[in-house]
Amino acid sequence: MTVPQSASEVVDMLICLAHLVEDTAEELGALDASLGDGDLGVTMRKGFTAIETKLSDPELSVVHPGDVLVLAGTTMASVAPSTLGTLLGFGFVKAGKKVADKESLDGAAWSVIWRTIVDSIATQGKAQRGDKTILDALVPGAEAFDSALERGDSVEEAALEAYVAARQGFEDTARMQARQGRAGRYYEHSVGYKDAGARMGALIFQAFSRSEQAS
Amino acid sequence: MTVPQSASEVVDMLICLAHLVEDTAEELGALDASLGDGDLGVTMRKGFTAIETKLSDPELSVVHPGDVLVLAGTTMASVAPSTLGTLLGFGFVKAGKKVADKESLDGAAWSVIWRTIVDSIATQGKAQRGDKTILDALVPGAEAFDSALERGDSVEEAALEAYVAARQGFEDTARMQARQGRAGRYYEHSVGYKDAGARMGALIFQAFSRSEQAS
Amino acid sequence: MKKFMNDPSSFEADMLEGILLAHGDELEALDPDRRALVRRQAPSAGKVGLVTGGGSGHLPLFLGYVGQGMLDGVAVGDVFASPSAMVMLEVTRRVNSGSGVLYLYGNYGGDVLNFDMAAEMATDEGIEVESVVGIDDVASAPKGEESRRRGIAGLFYLYKLAGAKAELGASLAEVKEVAEKAIARTRSMGVALSPCYLPSTGQASFAIGPDEMEVGMGIHGEPGMERLPIEQSHQLVSRLLEPMVQELSLGAGDQVSVLVNGLGATSREELYIVYRDVHRWLANFGIEVLLPYIGEFATSLEMSGMSVSILSLEDELVELLAHPCDTPFWRQCR
Amino acid sequence: MKKFMNDPSSFEADMLEGILLAHGDELEALDPDRRALVRRQAPSAGKVGLVTGGGSGHLPLFLGYVGQGMLDGVAVGDVFASPSAMVMLEVTRRVNSGSGVLYLYGNYGGDVLNFDMAAEMATDEGIEVESVVGIDDVASAPKGEESRRRGIAGLFYLYKLAGAKAELGASLAEVKEVAEKAIARTRSMGVALSPCYLPSTGQASFAIGPDEMEVGMGIHGEPGMERLPIEQSHQLVSRLLEPMVQELSLGAGDQVSVLVNGLGATSREELYIVYRDVHRWLANFGIEVLLPYIGEFATSLEMSGMSVSILSLEDELVELLAHPCDTPFWRQCR
Ligand SMILES: Nc1ncnc2c1ncn2[C@@H]1O[C@H](COP(=O)(O)OP(=O)(O)O)[C@@H](O)[C@H]1O
Ligand SMILES: Nc1ncnc2c1ncn2[C@@H]1O[C@H](COP(=O)(O)OP(=O)(O)O)[C@@H](O)[C@H]1O
Ligand SMILES: [Mg+2]
Ligand SMILES: [Mg+2]
Ligand SMILES: [Mg+2]
Ligand SMILES: [Mg+2]
């Protein structure tokens, strides 16, 4: 239960995430079906299956952990260009580029990564916290991570807190009115349903924290 | 109960025929539906309604009875260009032209008219007696008419015999296998049904004989 | 039945009014009912006049191919019913430049009768008339009884080839020869998945189960050869192509044109999938496709289904097929 | 659901293979999956490159309009799904002659995101990129919220006008200006009578009663404005035209182009009946129709329905609209 530092550890984390997505695909689809077109399970699985295939290639030689993120992001954006596939894919690409020079990722580097992903999604999606999107899991997750580090927690402890906050953020989307994407067309009728993208956001922090706790 | 001689009597006969068609339209349609596309009632009614309208026009001035037949035939062929509408229309046109010079129609002239109609339909339709078509009413009708005249019957008596023979010819089509038109595609399965066009043939001789007897 | 229309009894009239309002710069109606339509510039001096006709409900057939490089005039009938010989005659008179008129149409009882009558009347008036009748549907009668076959989407090739030949200044006999060559070298076969609905009655043209297809069905819903469970495109394609390729004696090194025609409700996406499988099947036998046509060329109102037509090419036909044309419903530039 | 196809999972691949086999003389695929398609001769020296993209299932949209006088390249997505920004970038690189590239596409979340990303990446590579987004569907958001509206068949006008302008050698800024004028002067509205079926799932895109119509439905089955009993064409036409004509402030003496678009299963006969009623309604207000378009321009697989688009004309637009073009799916000769 350590937070990934090297390129190969980031690979492991993403493969772990791919397995989580596989296990959660049906739930993602069902959540997206309530307020969207129901394809999120299919597209996320498609994206992460492709990522797993790319990253499991024995020929693969990436030295920098940032390159792993760029490769994963590019793959996602190429094979699963739905709203979330695109936002997430380019979020990973930008985060990877931000830490391109690092051979190992410490807490500060991960803090940059999460903030970059959040900023990228917010900018491209023209969205903010409270709009009932993936940001409502990613933003509390990233903030909890930073606060824990500031408090002097270990990176592992901080990651676990990030996951708990992201997970709570997902639950909280039930109270929100959607303001983005297909769900935005439901206006006040969107209240009462949880957001599918936010569920995906919680999965990301789950893989990051390597939490074994039930999702 | 006299056979038409003058142009205005031919007009009367065709208007009588139009009313017979009106009364029989449903039966014609039903017969055509068994072995064809079921439109014969609609098309014959359409054709004869137009003929009646044309012939009832007070401005109409036709001196020659043959012209009445040409006008009726042209109208039929124009407004009801189905198989039978066309065959019958041009049969009338050709018959009318054959007696174009006559101011009054005697038995011999009517004999020419019926034979011309039969020949025209047979030539254009590439059909002969026994093919289960209108010819199976018209041919026996025309033949009975000629035989009666030869025997010395009055034109009225001959016309009545023609109608009886045409009517019997229609009944006899039940035994025949269709060799023409849409019905021809049923081969041996066409046996047992009477031919719609032959029913129309019987109506023509009914109007000609001014028979009041139930159709 | 749900249709965009007004009173069903004005279906044809409203449609024809729309067509003339839209294409009045290219088409001209000779009668108030707009049943006799011609190219505005007809007759073209010295050019053989090409005339077709048939029932409505098959757009772009029949009237859609009147224009530069294809036909000169058309007689328009009610839905699925022949136009009258009088209308045909009216068209014939107008398109005759003195070089004669060729009738090109599909082999349907009512149409044959009426075109024959029109030809007789036109001949009486001193107009030279010849006829060539489309019989491309291999499913409608067995080999040896070709003259009983119906004409379907392959009519497009008849119009296109004869149209180009006439436009190039050929004589009536020469255009007729090309038309007959087109007939001899074209075969088609269709499949229906769902019926169409007659505007006048609202009745379905036939009944079919949710997983069935009717192989060989005609464009008025005439019964086909077999009712089968629907199969994958590549299987269906080989079912359709085999008899056609055999009748045309096609083999390695031969060149063909292919026309994949939608009957009305079938998506263009599906037609291209079918074309892919046709192209591959032919390529597998060494047969090369030049100038393929994919789209709606001869429909049956909103019937779901498609047909495949094959034209066996030779040098002159390639040239004629590639010749430019410009009609309201089909344009080939350059 | 009955479709002519092979394995549903290869629906897009088989269709694209068919399109390239049929139109390989005009179109070229940049990738083995054929998702990045361009005109063979792209880039044209000195010409602004025009690029579109979007989900499959709308033929002739989007890829159908790549060709002379219209677009230079297209990024093709799965059925009803956006293509990726990487594919868009690939197309962008190829069609850029150094004169810049203009993205023209419909306002759908996924497409906007991906084109924005592609623009960012292209800009990073030193390619000048601008975007104009189609928002013609008046039924998809109220007046005042135009930027939330969807792009439907009116995209055809966007492609045609910008395409002609670019072909005439205009600069990126000038072509963009024409494209924005096209957006400002085009309005559309559609009606659906029956759903389409997604090849991958076989599911109907929506449910509708046997006598109902959905006014304002989108081309993916997005909900419209009203569910009503079906009405006669002339009544429906006035329902559709009123808001469009009002938003475009059209009145006596104005000239427009009209596009009557079939969504897939609707017969061409019906589209011409609708056109008749559109023409008459406009004529009644003294509005003249130039250059009407009737046919299938933006479909939704085999959905039954149609849309009407109005383009408010002025001198330059008439010239650009009439300018010749020659693409696999739309040809204007001369
Ligand atoms: N503009 C946006 N900004 C950020 N996130 C968004 C935006 N729009 C949608 N999302 C997220 O994307 C999720 C849906 O993703 P996806 O299924 O890929 O969308 P679609 O199928 O509409 O392309 C939503 O649940 C939401 O979390
Ligand atoms: N070739 C033919 N010669 C003579 N009569 C024919 C021929 N074909 C059909 N008929 C007659 O026409 C009748 C059908 O007429 P109609 O309904 O007008 O045909 P369709 O609807 O097929 O055009 C048949 O019942 C038959 O009597
Ligand atoms: Mg979704
Ligand atoms: Mg989606
Ligand atoms: Mg009939
Ligand atoms: Mg009939």
Side-chain angles (χ1 to χ4, degrees):
Chain A
M1 242 185 35
T2 54
V3 159
Q5 295 180 314
S6 68
S8 79
E9 283 165 0
V10 175
V11 167
D12 289 347
M13 167 187 147
L14 288 171
I15 289 177
C16 163
L17 179 52
H19 296 166
L20 286 175
V21 165
E22 183 68 42
D23 296 342
T24 323
E26 235 167 88
E27 186 189 343
L28 289 170
L31 287 166
D32 189 36
S34 311
L35 296 175
D37 58 356
D39 66 345
L40 195 69
V42 173
T43 51
M44 286 298 114
R45 180 197 272 149
K46 196 171 169 187
F48 278 103
T49 305
I51 289 172
E52 184 173 358
T53 307
K54 276 254 166 82
L55 296 183
S56 309
D57 184 348
E59 309 265 288
L60 182 81
S61 76
V62 268
V63 179
H64 291 85
D67 295 343
V68 178
L69 291 175
V70 170
L71 180 61
T74 311
T75 304
M76 171 66 79
S78 294
V79 308
S82 77
T83 304
L84 198 61
T86 306
L87 288 173
L88 209 53
F90 283 100
F92 277 27
V93 169
K94 289 189 184 175
K97 286 188 176 162
K98 263 277 167 58
V99 298
D101 52 337
K102 301 219 179 324
E103 303 220 347
S104 174
L105 302 176
D106 57 8
W110 276 108
S111 172
V112 168
I113 288 171
W114 297 127
R115 266 186 275 127
T116 306
I117 292 178
V118 162
D119 287 351
S120 167
I121 294 180
T123 307
Q124 253 104 54
K126 300 181 184 68
Q128 53 189 30
R129 195 175 172 174
D131 284 356
K132 193 168 185 144
T133 70
I134 187 174
L135 290 177
D136 292 305
L138 294 183
V139 173
E143 285 180 357
F145 185 70
D146 285 356
S147 314
L149 287 186
E150 266 169 42
R151 276 200 312 270
D153 284 5
S154 73
V155 185
E156 280 69 30
E157 285 165 336
L160 204 57
E161 295 215 15
Y163 167 52
V164 171
R167 175 81 212 194
Q168 184 60 46
F170 158 63
E171 302 290 342
D172 292 348
T173 58
R175 283 188 265 114
M176 300 174 186
Q177 176 172 331
R179 284 199 184 75
Q180 299 294 343
R182 296 179 199 271
R185 299 215 167 240
Y186 287 87
Y187 299 97
E188 62 278 11
H189 303 292
S190 61
V191 176
Y193 300 90
K194 296 180 195 170
D195 178 62
R199 181 75 187 85
M200 184 63 217
L203 287 183
I204 294 171
F205 278 107
Q206 185 176 353
F208 176 55
S209 71
R210 306 269 174 117
S211 165
E212 307 296 318
Q213 118 190 23
S215 56
Chain B
M1 239 180 48
T2 55
V3 158
Q5 296 181 314
S6 68
S8 80
E9 283 165 0
V10 175
V11 166
D12 288 348
M13 167 187 145
L14 289 170
I15 289 175
C16 164
L17 180 52
H19 296 166
L20 285 174
V21 166
E22 183 68 42
D23 295 344
T24 323
E26 236 168 85
E27 187 190 340
L28 290 170
L31 287 166
D32 190 35
S34 311
L35 296 175
D37 58 356
D39 65 347
L40 195 69
V42 173
T43 51
M44 286 297 113
R45 181 197 270 148
K46 196 169 168 188
F48 278 102
T49 304
I51 288 172
E52 184 173 359
T53 308
K54 276 255 166 81
L55 297 184
S56 309
D57 185 347
E59 310 265 289
L60 182 81
S61 75
V62 269
V63 179
H64 292 83
D67 294 345
V68 178
L69 291 175
V70 170
L71 180 62
T74 312
T75 304
M76 172 65 80
S78 295
V79 308
S82 77
T83 304
L84 199 61
T86 305
L87 289 173
L88 210 52
F90 282 100
F92 277 27
V93 169
K94 290 191 180 169
K97 285 189 174 160
K98 263 274 165 62
V99 297
D101 51 338
K102 303 219 179 325
E103 302 219 348
S104 174
L105 302 176
D106 56 8
W110 275 108
S111 172
V112 167
I113 288 171
W114 297 126
R115 263 185 277 126
T116 307
I117 292 179
V118 162
D119 286 352
S120 167
I121 294 180
T123 308
Q124 254 105 53
K126 301 183 183 70
Q128 53 188 32
R129 194 175 171 173
D131 283 358
K132 194 171 185 140
T133 70
I134 187 172
L135 291 176
D136 292 305
L138 295 184
V139 173
E143 285 179 357
F145 185 69
D146 286 355
S147 315
L149 287 186
E150 268 169 39
R151 274 198 314 269
D153 285 5
S154 73
V155 184
E156 280 69 30
E157 284 165 336
L160 205 57
E161 294 213 18
Y163 168 52
V164 172
R167 176 78 213 196
Q168 184 59 46
F170 158 61
E171 301 290 344
D172 292 346
T173 58
R175 282 188 265 115
M176 300 174 187
Q177 177 172 330
R179 284 199 184 76
Q180 300 294 342
R182 294 179 201 271
R185 299 214 168 242
Y186 287 88
Y187 300 96
E188 63 278 8
H189 303 293
S190 62
V191 176
Y193 300 91
K194 296 180 194 169
D195 178 62
R199 183 73 187 87
M200 184 62 216
L203 288 184
I204 293 170
F205 278 106
Q206 186 175 356
F208 177 53
S209 70
R210 304 271 174 116
S211 164
E212 308 296 319
Q213 118 191 25
S215 57
Chain C
M1 175 190 67
K2 284 197 275 194
K3 281 191 204 290
F4 296 111
M5 61 177 176
N6 297 300
D7 191 321
S9 68
S10 68
F11 188 86
E12 294 89 350
D14 289 356
M15 169 197 75
L16 290 167
E17 186 182 341
I19 287 176
L20 265 296
L21 285 172
H23 305 297
D25 53 335
E26 297 173 90
L27 295 177
E28 181 184 338
L30 302 180
D31 61 328
D33 289 347
R34 306 184 184 86
R35 298 310 182 106
L37 305 181
V38 297
R39 281 165 73 172
R40 278 220 161 270
Q41 64 271 50
S44 309
K47 182 184 162 308
V48 172
L50 300 187
V51 173
T52 194
S56 290
H58 306 294
L59 282 178
L61 276 188
F62 293 86
L63 59 85
Y65 302 118
V66 173
Q68 193 193 311
M70 290 186 84
L71 306 171
D72 298 280
V74 62
V76 183
D78 284 342
V79 169
F80 294 1
S82 175
S84 79
M86 283 72 181
V87 170
M88 294 168 181
L89 180 63
E90 207 175 342
V91 172
T92 307
R93 285 181 184 135
R94 165 66 182 266
V95 307
N96 178 39
S97 69
S99 306
V101 173
L102 181 60
Y103 291 166
L104 303 171
Y105 60 95
N107 189 26
Y108 296 94
D111 298 319
V112 174
L113 269 182
N114 280 289
F115 270 110
D116 281 354
M117 294 310 314
E120 200 176 302
M121 294 188 287
T123 306
D124 283 352
E125 294 184 10
I127 304 174
E128 201 182 350
V129 174
E130 295 281 354
S131 297
V132 174
V133 182
I135 48 168
D136 50 307
D137 184 357
V138 296
S140 52
K143 204 171 148 55
E145 299 181 37
E146 283 84 358
S147 69
R148 283 185 45 231
R149 287 179 176 170
R150 300 182 289 249
I152 57 172
L155 287 170
F156 172 78
Y157 285 131
L158 181 63
Y159 299 155
K160 181 70 192 71
L161 296 169
K165 187 75 182 177
E167 203 83 20
L168 292 168
S171 70
L172 180 55
E174 289 165 340
V175 179
K176 189 181 177 194
E177 197 186 313
V178 161
E180 281 169 344
K181 203 189 270 180
I183 299 291
R185 302 176 78 106
T186 304
R187 294 291 183 283
S188 303
M189 195 155 148
V191 190
L193 300 184
S194 78
C196 62
Y197 297 84
L198 289 179
S200 54
T201 63
Q203 294 299 305
S205 55
F206 59 90
I208 189 164
D211 297 315
E212 289 180 329
M213 61 179 183
E214 173 106 5
V215 180
M217 177 159 284
I219 57 172
H220 308 89
E222 297 95 337
M225 306 194 314
E226 290 181 282
R227 181 70 60 102
L228 296 171
I230 187 164
E231 54 196 3
Q232 292 210 340
S233 164
H234 69 274
Q235 295 165 321
L236 176 57
V237 158
S238 89
R239 184 186 292 283
L240 299 182
L241 287 182
E242 241 165 74
M244 294 196 251
V245 164
Q246 205 178 331
E247 280 201 17
L248 293 171
S249 310
L250 294 170
D254 286 334
Q255 295 183 322
V256 298
S257 173
V258 167
L259 189 162
V260 178
N261 170 59
L263 290 183
T266 295
S267 70
R268 220 128 14 143
E269 283 78 8
E270 292 166 78
L271 298 181
Y272 275 96
I273 292 175
V274 169
Y275 177 70
R276 164 200 182 262
D277 292 323
V278 170
H279 190 107
R280 281 171 161 242
W281 193 95
L282 292 170
N284 200 35
F285 287 93
I287 303 167
E288 188 191 358
V289 182
L290 302 181
L291 300 160
Y293 294 84
I294 297 108
E296 293 187 354
F297 292 84
T299 63
S300 187
L301 295 168
E302 74 280 65
M303 190 186 290
S304 165
M306 60 91 189
S307 63
V308 177
S309 304
I310 304 281
L311 169 68
S312 168
L313 289 169
E314 38 98 299
D315 290 354
E316 189 191 12
L317 297 188
V318 175
E319 260 170 58
L320 294 174
L321 204 53
H323 194 78
C325 66
D326 200 359
T327 81
F329 289 75
W330 190 254
R331 307 191 194 275
Q332 280 179 210
C333 309
R334 259 156 316 177
Chain D
M1 175 190 68
K2 284 198 274 195
K3 280 189 203 291
F4 296 111
M5 62 177 177
N6 298 301
D7 190 320
S9 68
S10 68
F11 188 86
E12 293 90 348
D14 290 355
M15 168 196 76
L16 289 167
E17 187 182 339
I19 287 176
L20 266 296
L21 286 173
H23 305 297
D25 53 335
E26 298 172 270
L27 295 177
E28 181 184 337
L30 302 180
D31 62 328
D33 288 347
R34 306 184 183 85
R35 297 311 182 106
L37 306 181
V38 297
R39 282 165 72 171
R40 278 221 161 270
Q41 66 272 50
S44 309
K47 181 183 162 309
V48 172
L50 300 187
V51 172
T52 193
S56 291
H58 305 294
L59 284 178
L61 274 187
F62 294 88
L63 61 85
Y65 301 118
V66 173
Q68 192 193 312
M70 290 186 83
L71 306 171
D72 298 281
V74 61
V76 182
D78 285 341
V79 169
F80 294 1
S82 175
S84 79
M86 283 72 181
V87 170
M88 295 168 180
L89 179 63
E90 208 175 341
V91 172
T92 307
R93 285 180 184 137
R94 165 67 181 266
V95 307
N96 178 39
S97 69
S99 305
V101 173
L102 180 61
Y103 291 166
L104 304 170
Y105 60 95
N107 190 26
Y108 296 94
D111 299 319
V112 175
L113 268 182
N114 280 289
F115 271 110
D116 281 354
M117 294 310 315
E120 200 177 303
M121 293 188 288
T123 306
D124 284 351
E125 295 183 9
I127 304 174
E128 201 183 350
V129 174
E130 295 281 354
S131 297
V132 175
V133 183
I135 48 168
D136 50 308
D137 184 359
V138 295
S140 52
K143 204 172 148 54
E145 298 181 38
E146 282 84 358
S147 70
R148 281 187 44 231
R149 288 181 175 167
R150 300 182 290 249
I152 56 172
L155 286 170
F156 172 79
Y157 286 130
L158 181 63
Y159 298 156
K160 180 71 191 72
L161 297 169
K165 187 76 182 176
E167 202 82 20
L168 291 168
S171 70
L172 180 55
E174 289 165 341
V175 180
K176 189 183 178 194
E177 198 185 314
V178 160
E180 280 169 343
K181 203 190 271 181
I183 299 291
R185 302 177 78 106
T186 304
R187 294 292 183 282
S188 303
M189 196 156 147
V191 189
L193 300 185
S194 78
C196 61
Y197 297 84
L198 289 179
S200 54
T201 63
Q203 294 298 304
S205 55
F206 59 90
I208 188 164
D211 297 315
E212 288 180 329
M213 61 178 185
E214 173 106 6
V215 180
M217 177 160 285
I219 56 172
H220 307 88
E222 297 96 336
M225 306 194 315
E226 289 181 283
R227 181 71 57 104
L228 296 171
I230 187 165
E231 53 195 4
Q232 294 211 337
S233 164
H234 69 274
Q235 295 165 321
L236 175 57
V237 159
S238 88
R239 183 186 293 282
L240 299 182
L241 287 182
E242 240 166 74
M244 293 196 251
V245 164
Q246 203 177 332
E247 281 202 15
L248 293 171
S249 311
L250 293 170
D254 285 335
Q255 295 183 322
V256 299
S257 172
V258 167
L259 189 162
V260 178
N261 170 59
L263 289 184
T266 295
S267 70
R268 217 118 29 133
E269 283 79 8
E270 292 165 78
L271 299 181
Y272 275 96
I273 291 176
V274 169
Y275 177 70
R276 164 200 183 259
D277 292 322
V278 170
H279 190 109
R280 282 172 160 241
W281 193 95
L282 292 170
N284 200 34
F285 287 93
I287 302 167
E288 187 190 359
V289 183
L290 302 180
L291 300 161
Y293 294 83
I294 298 109
E296 293 186 353
F297 292 84
T299 63
S300 187
L301 294 169
E302 74 280 66
M303 191 187 290
S304 165
M306 60 91 191
S307 63
V308 177
S309 303
I310 304 281
L311 168 68
S312 168
L313 291 170
E314 38 99 298
D315 291 354
E316 189 191 12
L317 297 188
V318 175
E319 260 169 59
L320 294 173
L321 204 54
H323 194 78
C325 66
D326 200 0
T327 81
F329 290 75
W330 189 253
R331 306 191 193 276
Q332 279 179 211
C333 308
R334 258 156 316 179

